[in-house]
Amino acid sequence: MNFKIKHISWIGALVFGSFTAQAQTPNVNIPYSYQFYQKLNKSVYDVENRSHSSIKGYYADDSLLVHRYNELMKMGTDSLNHRSWVRRKITEEHLLNFKGEDYEVYADFLPDFQIGREFSEGKTTWINTRGVQVGGKVGKEFSFYTNVYENQGVFANYLTDFINTNQVVPSQMSGKLSGTTKDWSYATALLSYTPNKHLNLAVGYDKNFIGDGYRSMLLSDVAANYSFVRLRASLGNVQYQTIFGYMLDPGAQKLTADRRLGDRGKWAAMHYVDWNATKRFSIGFFQAVTWADAEPEGKRGFDFNYIHPFIFLRSVEGANTTSPDKMRLGINTKYEILDKTTVYGQFMIDEFTAKEFFSNKGYWANKWALQIGFRGSDLFKVEGLNYLAEFNTARPYTYAHFDRVSNYAAMNQPLAHPLGANFREVLGLMNYTYKRFDFQGQLMYARYGLDPEGKNYGKDIFKSYTTVNSIYGNYIGQGIKTNLYFAEGRVAYLLNPKYNLRLEVGGVYRKESNSLGNKNTGLITFGLRSTFRNLYQDM
């Protein structure tokens, strides 16, 4: 990296003098889903709460959220009449629930059955997913959660193209993906331990998310699950999070023909500190470094130089004068302009050379990403009507590296924005809940540049930046100029809030157009669905 920043400690940047009383650090994880988290808006974005809203997932036993979360888990429950065992299990309880003096364990069957019609190709689409989840807590300190899914499906044309190209189901896993019918499995696990009111330690095979928007330019849940150890520390108005992760890159060139060594892997160290400076304003600082587990020259493994949780990682990485690692720095901000309206933003620096940046010559290595948005609840004074509007952009070659194993991605998908780099995007979302009915709508427009054969204009973050098309004259959208229009709507009737079991009908319209032609998709789906996981279709 070309930017030079003096060695500082994160601790010194936190302004620890702003301490306030804080309840016990919670530990019962709420699986992250944008659609479900929207329902927590009034508690999260309350000027009196000083919630660390950008650090996800949240915890159900957080004193700021527990009341609203319990309301949602009891939505539609009939407390006046004694229902039959079968009806209670379908509409308001976990399938299995065991409680003792100091423990609680639950288990559920998780179906995701969908059938649809894709009109442009006249094709029937379907998904047949059978899942199981088990979770619970032991005492006040331990909680655990795991799920596993077995899946088969036939997808709409654009998703099929993505799967065939990247050999991974979006936001999920790889598997038997040749042919028309795809077959894959998917699993999640998280063990959480809270020893005192200031610390939480989690070991997981899951995802993480940093930001207040629908997308994140710092760390999102777009990619597949990965193994990690996560530490969260709360002290007054400051919350700190560090993540050490191990990820796979099945698309990287193998170092040996021996299949017993599996896919190549990478390590990541990601630190984030969030400071609620006032009741309305918060600012967070992010740093992440990625490196290959092994190179042709030999095995490297985990670099213990990055294990120090509070140190500025750029200084550690820079101490290695021939470092092959990739460092990224970012800022996340939020300001609650009204009681129910919040503006937010992110800025991520991948690489930066000051004199080239201000010369305005389109230097390829000035790589950054930006997000600006606003969100709120109770629009037009309608309780439960949530909204979000957002702009995202990333310059060409952002998130890429000279070696794809060290880029900012996992399992052939970006760790930040699903479009990679070299794009601009605007989107809007609305959600409304009325009793057991959920209504969701999304509009999105993006413009980006695709690569002609044999060229690298910067959108594909898996290409080495040593193959840039030009040193100067680079701009956002260069290459084959492409427009993407996406619209989606869903209506669901909630059957059981405990695991989001619902009947759902949805529709998607997607159009991708450039000088090579148009790719259109019109899709309508019907399904019996469950779980809170995010499965992105807007790509």
Side-chain angles (χ1 to χ4, degrees):
M1 298 176 65
N2 295 322
F3 52 88
K4 301 298 183 181
I5 303 176
K6 294 182 179 180
H7 177 93
I8 64 173
S9 166
W10 283 115
I11 300 177
L14 301 186
V15 192
F16 276 151
S18 60
F19 297 156
T20 61
Q22 174 120 353
Q24 166 139 342
T25 301
N27 69 357
V28 180
N29 184 66
I30 305 174
Y32 178 61
S33 162
Y34 172 81
Q35 306 297 351
F36 179 76
Y37 274 42
Q38 280 278 287
K39 299 178 182 181
L40 302 170
N41 270 357
K42 286 197 294 184
S43 297
V44 173
Y45 296 98
D46 184 336
V47 294
E48 300 300 324
N49 281 350
R50 291 200 175 191
S51 170
H52 295 283
S53 58
S54 61
I55 300 179
K56 300 178 174 75
Y58 299 152
Y59 288 116
D61 51 346
D62 188 326
S63 60
L64 303 178
L65 303 179
V66 63
H67 177 69
R68 177 57 178 161
Y69 179 79
N70 288 338
E71 281 184 344
L72 294 171
M73 290 299 100
K74 295 177 181 178
M75 184 173 291
T77 298
D78 187 350
S79 59
L80 299 179
N81 298 303
H82 182 71
R83 302 298 189 183
S84 68
W85 182 89
V86 173
R87 183 163 180 175
R88 293 199 314 272
K89 294 303 177 183
I90 293 175
T91 63
E92 59 188 67
E93 295 180 1
H94 291 292
L95 179 61
L96 300 174
N97 204 342
F98 307 98
K99 291 185 178 181
E101 188 173 316
D102 62 348
Y103 71 88
E104 180 178 354
V105 179
Y106 64 84
D108 295 295
F109 172 67
L110 303 177
D112 194 347
F113 305 136
Q114 295 181 68
I115 188 167
R117 188 67 174 173
E118 201 274 296
F119 296 104
S120 62
E121 291 186 352
K123 179 173 66 174
T124 297
T125 66
W126 54 270
I127 293 177
N128 177 12
T129 293
R130 294 84 59 210
V132 176
Q133 72 173 7
V134 179
K137 54 186 178 180
V138 180
K140 296 181 179 180
E141 293 81 21
F142 283 97
S143 73
F144 61 92
Y145 176 79
T146 185
N147 62 43
V148 61
Y149 304 89
E150 186 62 31
N151 318 267
Q152 294 81 37
V154 173
F155 292 89
N157 51 11
Y158 74 101
L159 292 174
T160 300
D161 291 343
F162 178 92
I163 294 169
N164 292 340
T165 300
N166 299 279
Q167 285 300 294
V168 63
V169 178
S171 304
Q172 298 189 62
M173 292 289 177
S174 186
K176 300 176 183 178
L177 303 180
S178 59
T180 302
T181 300
K182 313 302 182 184
D183 190 330
W184 73 103
S185 59
Y186 180 91
T188 299
L190 189 74
L191 175 63
S192 176
Y193 172 57
T194 301
N196 58 55
K197 67 180 182 179
H198 299 295
L199 297 175
N200 173 257
L201 177 66
V203 179
Y205 184 69
D206 202 347
K207 306 177 184 183
N208 295 276
F209 191 101
I210 293 176
D212 290 283
Y214 175 66
R215 310 288 198 193
S216 176
M217 310 308 285
L218 304 181
L219 178 63
S220 79
D221 62 334
V222 169
N225 289 348
Y226 50 90
S227 298
F228 63 84
V229 175
R230 183 179 70 203
L231 173 69
R232 288 183 182 172
S234 300
L235 191 59
N237 291 322
V238 174
Q239 188 169 91
Y240 170 83
Q241 175 175 274
T242 187
I243 299 170
F244 301 105
Y246 181 75
M247 307 161 187
L248 295 177
D249 187 354
Q253 183 179 1
K254 301 294 190 294
L255 299 181
T256 175
D258 190 340
R259 65 182 299 272
R260 292 175 296 179
L261 295 180
D263 296 325
R264 292 182 65 184
K266 73 171 67 174
W267 295 92
M270 296 174 278
H271 298 343
Y272 179 71
V273 60
D274 189 62
W275 175 35
N276 287 328
T278 71
K279 286 185 176 181
R280 295 184 180 272
F281 176 70
S282 69
I283 185 169
F285 301 94
F286 176 78
Q287 54 181 346
V289 60
T290 52
W291 68 96
D293 180 60
E295 297 286 5
E297 295 77 15
K299 173 82 170 181
R300 181 178 176 187
F302 183 80
D303 190 333
F304 281 89
N305 286 309
Y306 296 125
I307 202 170
H308 307 289
F310 293 107
I311 201 168
F312 194 67
L313 291 179
R314 173 59 177 140
S315 300
V316 177
E317 188 260 346
N320 184 347
T321 57
T322 58
S323 173
D325 305 340
K326 186 58 182 172
M327 177 68 62
R328 295 167 182 89
L329 302 175
I331 295 176
N332 184 91
T333 61
K334 175 189 71 176
Y335 186 77
E336 298 181 20
I337 56 176
L338 300 171
D339 287 345
K340 298 178 181 179
T341 304
T342 300
V343 295
Y344 60 88
Q346 292 182 335
F347 186 69
M348 196 281 300
I349 298 175
D350 191 346
E351 201 158 346
F352 179 75
T353 304
K355 75 173 182 179
E356 296 289 359
F357 181 86
F358 293 109
S359 68
N360 199 30
K361 295 180 180 179
Y363 184 53
W364 76 273
N366 279 334
K367 301 181 292 180
W368 50 262
L370 174 70
Q371 177 185 88
I372 300 173
F374 65 91
R375 63 185 300 165
S377 58
D378 298 354
L379 183 64
F380 305 128
K381 297 183 179 180
V382 178
E383 186 174 357
L385 181 56
N386 302 306
Y387 62 94
L388 177 147
E390 187 173 289
F391 169 77
N392 299 295
T393 186
R395 279 188 52 80
Y397 312 109
T398 305
Y399 305 112
H401 198 218
F402 65 78
D403 184 352
R404 67 165 282 160
V405 180
S406 302
N407 73 347
Y408 204 54
M411 191 66 74
N412 293 344
Q413 297 173 96
L415 281 170
H417 197 286
L419 293 179
N422 191 25
F423 70 89
R424 290 188 178 95
E425 174 196 52
V426 291
L427 60 86
L429 296 102
M430 295 189 71
N431 307 80
Y432 178 58
T433 298
Y434 177 74
K435 295 184 178 179
R436 286 182 178 257
F437 285 95
D438 279 340
F439 303 88
Q440 305 165 21
Q442 176 182 353
L443 295 174
M444 185 262 280
Y445 167 73
R447 185 163 189 177
Y448 46 82
L450 297 176
D451 292 336
E453 185 69 27
K455 299 288 186 179
N456 181 7
Y457 280 96
K459 182 180 186 298
D460 187 348
I461 69 172
F462 294 95
K463 291 183 178 179
S464 171
Y465 60 48
T466 61
T467 62
V468 299
N469 192 63
S470 176
I471 301 299
Y472 292 98
N474 295 282
Y475 59 92
I476 297 173
Q478 64 184 8
I480 301 174
K481 294 179 175 57
T482 303
N483 296 300
L484 174 63
Y485 304 88
F486 182 89
E488 181 178 24
R490 296 181 190 175
V491 179
Y493 180 77
L494 184 65
L495 297 173
N496 192 320
K498 290 293 192 297
Y499 50 101
N500 202 21
L501 180 67
R502 63 200 185 275
L503 295 170
E504 182 179 278
V505 58
V508 168
Y509 172 77
R510 182 184 186 273
K511 179 179 179 181
E512 185 181 42
S513 62
N514 55 36
S515 59
L516 303 180
N518 297 332
K519 294 181 180 179
N520 298 326
T521 299
L523 175 69
I524 187 169
T525 59
F526 304 87
L528 174 66
R529 313 195 64 188
S530 63
T531 81
F532 298 97
R533 57 185 179 154
N534 269 347
L535 300 177
Y536 291 95
Q537 296 189 89
D538 51 347
M539 58 183 61

